Amino acid sequence: MAIDEHREWLISFYKKRKWYQYSPFIRLNFLMEEVGELAQSIRAIEIGRHHPGEITQTPTEQRYHLKEELADVLDQVLILSDKYNLDVADLIVQSEAKLKKRFHEN
């Protein structure tokens, strides 16, 4: 599935559940929550988790959790991009152009 197709599906999914109406400011808080969960996932992979009561995950479970959290972050970014009427392809082009200019790449 292409990223634009996923974004359209995601927007529809959120609207059906009445999650889409939250303002970008509130949506940003959801993004930060997901980034925190991503940080926790990466920490577990890189240095382990030593929290009482937490179940130790296998490397396969850790990888699954990492993918899940990265996807959650991506979804929040996609919703924010829609809230501001920004095309995802334009964001990708903007990213590449900025890096190429900054690091003098052709």
Side-chain angles (χ1 to χ4, degrees):
M1 177 183 291
I3 197 161
D4 285 326
E5 291 174 37
H6 175 68
R7 185 171 93 159
E8 291 306 314
W9 175 87
L10 183 68
I11 291 164
S12 174
F13 184 86
Y14 272 48
K15 284 181 177 179
K16 284 179 192 173
R17 286 159 182 78
K18 306 219 184 306
W19 297 344
Y20 186 85
Q21 81 277 5
Y22 295 113
S23 71
F25 188 74
I26 291 172
R27 183 71 43 210
L28 180 62
N29 285 294
F30 293 146
L31 172 61
M32 297 312 298
E33 179 182 344
E34 296 302 344
V35 168
E37 291 172 7
L38 175 60
Q40 184 180 40
S41 176
I42 290 173
R43 177 179 178 228
I45 292 168
E46 296 298 325
I47 63 173
R49 291 279 299 161
H50 305 289
H51 191 274
E54 231 177 42
I55 298 169
T56 303
Q57 294 180 325
T58 66
T60 300
E61 290 169 328
Q62 288 176 334
R63 184 167 175 80
Y64 177 83
H65 190 230
L66 175 63
K67 288 170 57 177
E68 185 177 55
E69 297 308 335
L70 278 168
D72 289 347
V73 168
L74 177 61
D75 284 351
Q76 293 305 317
V77 169
L78 292 174
I79 293 293
L80 277 169
S81 71
D82 189 68
K83 290 281 189 178
Y84 287 103
N85 297 312
L86 298 171
D87 182 59
V88 177
D90 289 343
L91 296 177
I92 293 168
V93 168
Q94 174 112 13
S95 172
E96 286 184 22
K98 179 178 111 178
L99 290 170
K100 286 175 180 177
K101 181 178 178 184
R102 182 177 291 166
F103 293 98
H104 310 289
E105 299 269 333
N106 292 332

